[in-house]
Amino acid sequence: MATAVKVTVVYYSATGHVTDIAREIADTAEKASAEVRLRRVAELAPQEVIASQPAWAANVAATAGIPLATVEDVVWADAVLMGSPTRFGNIAAQLKQFLDTLGGAWKRGELADKIYSGFTSTGSPHGGNESTLLALMHSFHHFGGIVVAPGFTHPDKFVDGNPYGTAHHDAGGTVPVGDVTRNAARVQTERVVRLAKALTAATL
Ligand SMILES: Cc1cc2nc3c(=O)[nH]c(=O)nc-3n(C[C@H](O)[C@H](O)[C@H](O)COP(=O)(O)O)c2cc1C
């Protein structure tokens, strides 16, 4: 019997939009028969700042049961999907902090030859979703990763229109993750799992 491909979903989210995408990705990967680890990265913001923003506090409470990401979660995986809200056109510091813990694994060559793919959420439709996804890819290239972007490989991609990865825009926190974003996440994940299966079959 073929071994299930191993997928790790690593994300940061303050107010929950990226959490929703991460959960959709994890569910889709499981439905595609992958073994999945859903992991959030550690929060860096002070507790009083979080508590002063209801959406942020609600997301922290709702995701308390999701384990914190470790270096081993990335080393373990055949495919890694990473997500972050857009912060000034870039990834959030919390995810960057986690990326910076990967130096030892990188040096040992343990991050190479895996599939990597990214997802994000922005406040506005042109607020930097593409630059955030491309910023994630900077690190993926350093890892020696195989970057799998969704491209326009499925009819749904002509609806959300982002070939670099799944990107929601929340219109200033007023638009929850809906069908367009969920469909994009499913297309991206199914492609990642399919190619991870091919890659692991080729290298076993
Ligand atoms: C400090 C900060 C910087 C942000 N920078 C951008 C930005 O450059 N472009 C944008 O469209 N939205 C920006 N946003 C909005 C978030 O990217 C957006 O609300 C996102 O959906 C939040 O995801 P989350 O709910 O998973 O935390 C910023 C938000 C914060 C708090």
Side-chain angles (χ1 to χ4, degrees), residues 12-19 85-89 121-124 127-128 170 173:
Y12 174 72
S13 176
T15 52
H17 299 88
V18 176
T19 300
T86 290
R87 293 282 165 88
F88 306 121
S121 183
T122 55
S124 61
D170 70 21

Side-chain angles (χ1 to χ4, degrees), residues 80-181:
V80 182
L81 293 110
M82 283 196 187
S84 168
T86 290
R87 293 282 165 88
F88 306 121
N90 212 320
I91 65 172
Q94 288 84 346
L95 185 64
K96 183 62 167 65
Q97 167 68 21
F98 176 72
L99 287 170
D100 289 355
T101 69
L102 297 176
W106 163 79
K107 202 167 184 182
R108 291 187 294 275
E110 294 170 351
L111 305 181
D113 300 344
K114 302 176 187 300
I115 285 173
Y116 294 89
S117 203
F119 55 101
T120 189
S121 183
T122 55
S124 61
H126 305 289
N129 53 52
E130 292 175 0
S131 57
T132 301
L133 294 168
L134 290 169
L136 274 171
M137 290 177 199
H138 293 172
S139 298
F140 300 161
H141 284 101
H142 281 256
F143 299 163
I146 299 156
V147 178
V148 171
F152 290 96
T153 56
H154 186 281
D156 285 344
K157 291 305 301 175
F158 292 90
V159 179
D160 78 84
N162 193 322
Y164 302 94
T166 299
H168 180 66
H169 63 94
D170 70 21
T174 63
V175 176
V177 170
D179 285 347
V180 172
T181 302

Side-chain angles (χ1 to χ4, degrees), residues 1-40:
M1 204 176 90
T3 312
V5 293
K6 293 174 278 191
V7 171
T8 295
V9 184
V10 179
Y11 78 97
Y12 174 72
S13 176
T15 52
H17 299 88
V18 176
T19 300
D20 286 349
I21 303 170
R23 289 191 195 275
E24 186 70 50
I25 286 171
D27 287 351
T28 302
E30 270 176 11
K31 283 177 190 147
S33 306
E35 188 180 347
V36 179
R37 293 185 184 182
L38 174 62
R39 300 289 186 261
R40 64 189 167 91

